[in-house]
């Protein structure tokens, strides 16, 4: 029961934040993964009309691994590596077709 209450609070906060950013003219998307979204937001799909940038560190520059969640049926960007180095600096690698 407590878990569901937290999801309800998280959904309300996210909905308000997205609405405010949109009202301010900010171009936004949502960065998450299924493993993070589901415990935090449950089955809520209220953000699915925003572009999804999802994380799945499989080293592949493709969406072939994507499984729908949170109302998203397709992603916009994939973060496919989180331990890369460029010019001596640690970076995450992203793919945007």
């Amino acid at each position: 029961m407590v878990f569901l209450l937290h999801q309800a609070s998280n959904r309300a906060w996210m909905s308000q934040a997205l609405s405010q950013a949109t009202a301010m003219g900010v171009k936004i998307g949502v960065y998450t993964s299924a493993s993070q979204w589901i415990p935090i937001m449950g089955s809520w799909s209220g953000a699915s009309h925003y572009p999804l940038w999802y994380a799945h560190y499989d080293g592949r520059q493709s969406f072939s691994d994507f499984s729908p969640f949170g109302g998203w049926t397709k992603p916009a960007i994939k973060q496919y590596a989180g331990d890369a180095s460029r010019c001596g600096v640690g970076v995450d690698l992203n793919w945007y077709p």
Side-chain angles (χ1 to χ4, degrees), residues 11-95:
R11 293 171 181 175
W13 181 90
M14 183 70 147
S15 182
Q16 184 177 16
L18 293 170
S19 293
Q20 183 63 43
T22 300
M24 294 173 68
V26 177
K27 189 173 181 177
I28 58 174
V30 177
Y31 172 82
T32 191
S33 63
S35 66
Q36 295 298 312
W37 185 265
I38 294 167
I40 295 168
M41 298 297 209
S43 61
W44 187 63
S45 61
S48 63
H49 56 283
Y50 295 98
L52 173 65
W53 177 7
Y54 78 109
H56 183 216
Y57 296 162
D58 63 356
R60 297 184 187 151
Q61 294 182 32
S62 81
F63 295 146
S64 64
D65 63 310
F66 182 76
S67 294
F69 69 93
W72 287 285
T73 57
K74 66 178 188 172
I77 304 171
K78 177 182 178 181
Q79 188 167 87
Y80 64 92
D83 59 355
S85 179
R86 298 293 186 265
C87 301
V89 176
V91 297
D92 295 337
L93 299 179
N94 301 283
W95 183 66

Side-chain angles (χ1 to χ4, degrees), residues 1-12 40:
M1 182 72 167
V2 173
F3 192 63
L4 294 176
L5 290 174
H6 288 296
Q7 287 180 348
S9 296
N10 294 339
R11 293 171 181 175
I40 295 168

